[in-house]
Amino acid sequence: MLLHDREEVPESQALVLTERARDAKGTGTLAVIVPLKDEAAGLPALAVACAVLRAELESRAAVEFVFVDDGSTDATWAGLQRLFGAAADCRLVRHEQNQGLAAAIRTGFGATGAECCASLAAALRVPRADRRPTADRARPGA
């Protein structure tokens, strides 16, 4: 079973995709997929990083964050619910058992109907300077 947002969804059933949306400016939708495994301690820093990324991208695209808990055994899922569960631009998805990074990213792709997807390491080990070129390519037509 997967937990998609707040509802259980059988793995055999395709996740319901969101309609491809456009905001009032006509910009496209970007899904930032964040795979996590036992990252409870780093969630506050991740919340700050997501807020900064959202602010940097808001003029280029409507941003949606898709957090995929890949079978964490710590308090990651509870922390995600507390920090991001009520946010309209955040989706929470959970694997009951660890399936690996590629599976978590694939699950994130399946949970969004965004026109463009990118992933962000939950541990934030990628230097900020290295994230910027990816963000620059997120504008429509790039």
Side-chain angles (χ1 to χ4, degrees):
M1 292 291 257
L2 293 175
L3 289 177
H4 183 258
D5 286 337
R6 290 160 221 26
E7 299 176 24
E8 289 188 15
V9 178
E11 287 184 71
S12 59
Q13 178 183 346
L15 295 175
V16 177
L17 299 180
T18 58
E19 181 179 335
R20 291 189 177 186
R22 295 208 175 262
D23 65 15
K25 298 176 187 174
T27 57
T29 304
L30 169 67
V32 179
I33 299 167
V34 186
L36 305 102
K37 171 71 169 84
D38 296 329
E39 297 286 351
L43 289 178
L46 179 62
V48 171
C50 289
V52 169
L53 185 58
R54 181 186 293 114
E56 288 181 0
L57 295 175
E58 70 183 353
S59 67
R60 300 177 200 172
V63 179
E64 171 186 52
F65 290 91
V66 181
F67 299 93
V68 182
D69 180 352
D70 189 28
S72 293
T73 57
D74 66 358
T76 297
W77 182 247
L80 287 172
Q81 291 175 315
R82 182 175 42 82
L83 291 170
F84 304 104
D89 65 347
C90 294
R91 293 180 173 276
L92 307 179
V93 186
R94 184 179 194 189
H95 292 164
E96 285 187 6
Q97 296 180 335
N98 179 253
Q99 297 179 28
L101 179 61
I105 292 173
R106 188 170 41 252
T107 295
F109 286 152
T112 184
E115 296 163 298
C116 182
C117 293
S119 66
L120 176 66
L124 303 174
R125 293 186 186 113
V126 179
R128 190 177 195 313
D130 290 344
R131 290 194 307 262
R132 179 130 284 316
T134 303
D136 288 342
R137 289 184 294 230
R139 66 181 177 273

